Amino acid sequence: MDTATTITISSWLIPLISGIAGALIGTFCGAYFLHKYQESDKEKIRDIAIQAVEIFKSYKGKSFVEAQNEFNNKLTLSEKRAVLVALNKLGIPIEIPFSQPFNINEVCLCDEVISIDFLDDIITQLSKGLCDHLFFNDVEQHFSSNLRLMTLRKLAQRYVKNVLQKSIFVQSDNTIRHVPNWQDEFSPGELETIWVFRDKIANPLYYNIDGHPDSKKLDKLIKEIEIGLWDSYLFWDVSSYQNIKNQNTMATLMTQMMSNNNVNQTRTTLTEEPKR
């Protein structure tokens, strides 16, 4: 009886254990080889991105513009689609066209001097896999979504460089005087778009004692615009901003009127003779 029971248990237990072991081994091996395949694929993309950065390194001390032809010719369309967003987010200055759709076939780079230390830092990040999540991001969507933002920032910087840097602050009447016909450099739509921004930077703090613009402060302002510190004012609707200003003005006037009324009542009370 015991022998028969042992044989019966063995008949189903051994296949069960074998099946479980086979399933575990198959799952583990499958996951392992899938992981190795994915890692191999990522390493290929990293190598493509590093190859692109090496192109820029060969133009040490020159402008990125001088390297853009070689960049466009050496990298295939599929390779650029895989790494372009990652390179841009890591700091490679890719110029976004404002008047036409982004063309991945002819990528334009900004006129900035190439720094080897900066590029070596990018290669280090790429080699360690810190930027793998940026690969294969949709190129057109990435650059199109930033199109309006970059346009507004460039417009604000153009206003600072072409108008504010040429203006003078007159302390006697607390006003800022611009060069004649400065509005001709901008379309009505552009002036409307940066109206709130222009109002906020109309500040005497950007001028020296002699009334001329402080070049260091304006350079810092341009950098602040570039990194997005003024984006909230660039996107602020003019009507909403003006309504808030009007409400604040009315609140200030009402406060002053109430304060003056209280002062007058106090003075009247103090000058009245006490009734006997």
Side-chain angles (χ1 to χ4, degrees), residues 75-246:
L75 268 69
T76 65
L77 182 61
S78 59
E79 289 175 338
K80 283 190 283 188
R81 284 196 176 280
V83 303
L84 196 59
V85 174
L87 293 176
N88 184 229
K89 289 192 174 184
L90 285 171
I92 300 300
I94 298 174
E95 185 174 353
I96 302 175
F98 300 137
S99 59
Q100 57 188 356
F102 180 79
N103 183 10
I104 192 173
N105 294 302
E106 294 294 334
V107 177
C108 295
L109 302 176
C110 298
D111 188 14
E112 297 183 14
V113 178
I114 294 174
S115 168
I116 297 298
D117 292 338
F118 170 68
L119 296 180
D120 284 339
D121 181 59
I122 292 179
I123 291 177
T124 300
Q125 295 181 62
L126 291 169
S127 301
K128 292 181 178 180
L130 302 178
C131 310
D132 289 350
H133 63 288
L134 299 175
F135 295 139
F136 294 106
N137 283 355
D138 188 88
V139 176
E140 282 76 11
Q141 182 180 0
H142 169 73
F143 290 105
S144 297
S145 62
N146 292 328
L147 181 59
R148 183 167 184 262
L149 174 62
M150 299 303 296
T151 302
L152 291 176
R153 289 179 183 175
K154 292 291 184 182
L155 179 59
Q157 290 175 330
R158 180 153 62 94
Y159 175 81
V160 174
K161 293 177 181 178
N162 297 350
V163 179
L164 205 62
Q165 284 186 342
K166 301 176 182 178
S167 61
I168 295 177
F169 176 69
V170 182
Q171 296 186 8
S172 58
D173 53 5
N174 197 36
T175 58
I176 297 175
R177 292 183 183 178
H178 299 303
V179 295
N181 303 321
W182 65 269
Q183 300 94 332
D184 295 343
E185 296 190 28
F186 304 88
S187 68
E190 289 176 334
L191 292 174
E192 182 76 8
T193 300
I194 61 172
W195 193 93
V196 177
F197 170 77
R198 290 192 295 119
D199 186 70
K200 296 301 294 185
I201 64 171
N203 193 320
L205 293 176
Y206 290 113
Y207 296 85
N208 294 314
I209 298 177
D210 59 3
H212 290 87
D214 188 322
S215 58
K216 292 184 179 179
K217 290 182 178 180
L218 291 188
D219 288 341
K220 185 178 180 180
L221 174 60
I222 291 173
K223 292 181 180 179
E224 291 174 350
I225 296 171
E226 184 175 355
I227 64 177
L229 296 185
W230 291 84
D231 287 353
S232 58
Y233 296 114
L234 295 174
F235 282 97
W236 200 336
D237 180 71
V238 178
S239 301
S240 300
Y241 176 75
Q242 194 62 50
N243 287 336
I244 292 176
K245 285 194 65 176
N246 292 337

Side-chain angles (χ1 to χ4, degrees), residues 28-70:
F28 174 78
C29 291
Y32 174 77
F33 286 114
L34 178 61
H35 175 72
K36 292 294 290 183
Y37 174 79
Q38 291 176 340
E39 281 298 312
S40 176
D41 190 49
K42 288 179 180 178
E43 288 178 1
K44 292 179 182 178
I45 304 304
R46 292 174 197 164
D47 290 340
I48 294 172
I50 293 173
Q51 175 191 347
V53 179
E54 292 290 350
I55 293 174
F56 300 134
K57 286 185 66 175
S58 64
Y59 289 82
K60 175 185 176 181
K62 298 181 180 179
S63 169
F64 279 96
V65 174
E66 299 180 63
Q68 71 181 23
N69 287 334
E70 184 177 353

